[in-house]
Amino acid sequence: MVQKKIVLATHNQHKRHEMNRVLSSMGITIVGLNDFPQIGDIEETGKTLLENAFIKARKVFELTGIPSIADDTGLEVNALDGAPGLFSARYAGENPTYEDNINKLMLALEGVPKEKRNAKFRTIIAFVDFNKELHSEGIAEGVITEIPEGRDGFGYDPIFKPNNFNKTYAEMDIEQKNKISHRGRALKKMKKLLINYLK
Amino acid sequence: MVQKKIVLATHNQHKRHEMNRVLSSMGITIVGLNDFPQIGDIEETGKTLLENAFIKARKVFELTGIPSIADDTGLEVNALDGAPGLFSARYAGENPTYEDNINKLMLALEGVPKEKRNAKFRTIIAFVDFNKELHSEGIAEGVITEIPEGRDGFGYDPIFKPNNFNKTYAEMDIEQKNKISHRGRALKKMKKLLINYLK
């Protein structure tokens, strides 16, 4: 089997390992942006998660020549008409901490009762290579808790409790979270698309 | 149009420019092995030109992750049962000069009359990427002259006179040679395959 590479548009080693684990059985090795120091920040100027994911994947493909994958994720809160959505990572301003974003969301939902705190996490994964573009979507529905719970994970994990589970993402171990999370689901679908593509 | 790269398995800048010229209109940039100093010599252990071309293209693809093209060329002389063929580049031993090879061939054909000095040049071009392998073949029929003529080109060019031309490859300018040569023909076919593949 000819060994293949995919560049994942991230500096996050954890994300890279996770994708490597899922795709290595297909003879695919995931490399991260740490291997390409010449690639600077890529501006996410899209109007949707899908656009942003493809902006990043196409840019990395153009710069490296290697098939590339990028993802974008948003948290969509029903009571806020889908906010923070596309702007989840920068909800509380430029370069906010996870805590800044969580505090802002807690404030925005102050007084909103449990049964109206529904939200969904959505991840889009985009793949771009010489001859093809593919994408997948993963959604996890749940509720925003009234106080942060748990210390694992990152981002909004401490305040997101997926449906049918009595704990937040931040209270789950990484394997459990990967199985049911928006990102885990999008990744599983992307794997299927790649298997089919490589047939 | 998303810009694409292909690595050509050669250190020869002339070959790289030639392929760039043919493929740039498709949004493809050709990079050579000079950009990848970590890639050493690739042993050509195949039993055919096709095998050797794919050995090189697959190796470069595996090492770079970028779609790769390699070629292999042989001169097949009828009176010598197809020799030097696969071994054209090393006919006179390890690391011979062009002159060494030509001298050996002149000697092997000593006394063989004009009408029995037919030969053909054959080039195979192999393309390997994430999802596909393609290859093309280009053949130029001609005769081996009795003395070397002309100073351009390289390899066996001074003693190969293509059919319907009254001069050797080494007496042609590069544009004329590219139009009718084995390599030029294989390249034109590869371009068609790539256009079709990218549709």
Side-chain angles (χ1 to χ4, degrees):
Chain A
M1 180 163 56
V2 175
Q3 287 295 311
K4 303 166 203 290
K5 290 185 198 188
I6 292 178
V7 185
L8 179 60
T10 185
H11 289 94
N12 183 320
Q13 291 296 76
H14 170 70
K15 281 192 182 178
R16 188 176 73 74
H17 283 303
E18 167 64 10
M19 194 165 288
N20 225 358
R21 208 180 53 73
V22 174
L23 299 182
S24 63
S25 64
M26 299 172 61
I28 293 173
T29 302
I30 304 295
V31 295
L33 289 185
N34 294 340
D35 290 355
F36 300 93
Q38 74 275 24
I39 301 181
D41 282 344
I42 299 166
E43 252 196 297
E44 303 184 14
T45 54
K47 290 189 181 64
T48 62
L49 297 174
L50 184 68
E51 280 180 29
N52 275 342
F54 271 114
I55 284 171
K56 288 185 280 185
R58 286 187 193 126
K59 189 75 187 171
V60 172
F61 171 71
E62 290 203 330
L63 291 171
T64 64
I66 304 172
S68 300
I69 281 181
D71 59 43
D72 203 18
T73 293
L75 174 63
E76 301 164 2
V77 179
N78 287 16
L80 304 176
D81 295 327
L86 193 63
F87 304 101
S88 298
R90 37 191 161 141
Y91 187 38
E94 283 304 305
N95 301 311
T97 64
Y98 296 148
E99 214 187 342
D100 294 338
N101 283 333
I102 286 177
N103 287 341
K104 177 159 178 184
L105 188 56
M106 292 281 92
L107 213 61
L109 288 177
E110 212 168 47
V112 177
K114 257 186 181 169
E115 65 276 16
K116 292 194 169 169
R117 295 172 77 93
N118 317 37
K120 61 175 72 139
F121 257 125
R122 185 195 306 272
T123 287
I124 303 283
I125 297 182
F127 168 82
V128 173
D129 92 342
F130 191 82
N131 193 40
K132 192 84 170 178
E133 296 191 343
L134 300 168
H135 71 273
S136 66
E137 180 181 67
I139 292 175
E141 304 207 50
V143 293
I144 303 300
T145 59
E146 282 165 301
I147 49 164
E149 290 164 63
R151 308 181 60 145
D152 288 332
F154 60 94
Y156 297 91
D157 284 2
I159 58 168
F160 184 81
K161 195 176 275 185
N163 290 346
N164 308 317
F165 286 83
N166 201 20
K167 47 187 175 180
T168 67
Y169 272 172
E171 294 175 294
M172 297 180 175
D173 62 42
I174 183 75
E175 286 75 21
Q176 187 179 17
K177 184 188 162 196
N178 283 341
K179 253 184 218 154
I180 60 143
S181 75
H182 48 295
R183 198 160 183 284
R185 285 173 179 165
L187 200 47
K188 215 176 292 173
K189 285 188 199 165
M190 180 50 70
K191 181 178 184 174
K192 274 190 193 154
L193 291 175
L194 288 173
I195 287 173
N196 191 50
Y197 177 49
L198 287 172
K199 250 181 208 155
Chain B
M1 180 162 58
V2 176
Q3 286 295 312
K4 304 164 200 289
K5 290 184 200 189
I6 292 177
V7 185
L8 180 61
T10 184
H11 289 94
N12 184 321
Q13 292 297 76
H14 171 69
K15 280 191 183 180
R16 188 176 72 74
H17 283 302
E18 168 63 9
M19 194 165 289
N20 226 357
R21 209 180 53 76
V22 174
L23 299 182
S24 62
S25 64
M26 300 172 61
I28 294 173
T29 302
I30 304 295
V31 295
L33 289 184
N34 294 340
D35 290 355
F36 300 93
Q38 74 274 24
I39 302 181
D41 281 344
I42 299 167
E43 251 197 296
E44 303 185 13
T45 55
K47 290 191 181 66
T48 62
L49 297 174
L50 184 68
E51 281 180 29
N52 276 342
F54 272 114
I55 285 171
K56 288 185 282 184
R58 285 187 194 125
K59 190 75 187 171
V60 172
F61 171 71
E62 290 203 331
L63 292 171
T64 63
I66 303 172
S68 300
I69 281 180
D71 58 43
D72 203 19
T73 293
L75 174 64
E76 301 164 2
V77 179
N78 287 17
L80 304 175
D81 295 326
L86 193 63
F87 304 100
S88 298
R90 38 193 160 139
Y91 186 39
E94 283 304 305
N95 301 314
T97 63
Y98 297 147
E99 212 185 342
D100 293 340
N101 284 332
I102 285 177
N103 287 341
K104 179 161 176 183
L105 188 56
M106 293 280 92
L107 212 60
L109 288 178
E110 211 166 51
V112 177
K114 257 184 180 169
E115 66 276 14
K116 293 193 167 167
R117 295 173 77 94
N118 317 36
K120 60 175 70 138
F121 259 125
R122 184 193 308 270
T123 288
I124 302 283
I125 298 181
F127 168 82
V128 173
D129 90 344
F130 192 82
N131 193 41
K132 191 84 170 181
E133 295 191 344
L134 300 168
H135 71 272
S136 66
E137 181 181 68
I139 292 175
E141 304 206 51
V143 294
I144 304 298
T145 59
E146 282 165 300
I147 49 162
E149 290 163 64
R151 308 182 61 147
D152 289 330
F154 60 93
Y156 297 92
D157 284 2
I159 59 168
F160 184 80
K161 196 176 274 186
N163 289 348
N164 306 318
F165 286 84
N166 201 21
K167 46 187 176 180
T168 68
Y169 273 171
E171 294 174 293
M172 297 180 175
D173 61 45
I174 185 74
E175 286 76 23
Q176 185 178 20
K177 184 187 163 197
N178 284 341
K179 252 184 220 157
I180 60 144
S181 75
H182 48 296
R183 200 161 180 284
R185 285 172 180 166
L187 199 48
K188 216 176 292 175
K189 285 189 199 166
M190 179 50 70
K191 182 179 185 176
K192 276 192 192 152
L193 292 175
L194 288 173
I195 288 173
N196 192 48
Y197 177 49
L198 286 172
K199 252 183 207 155

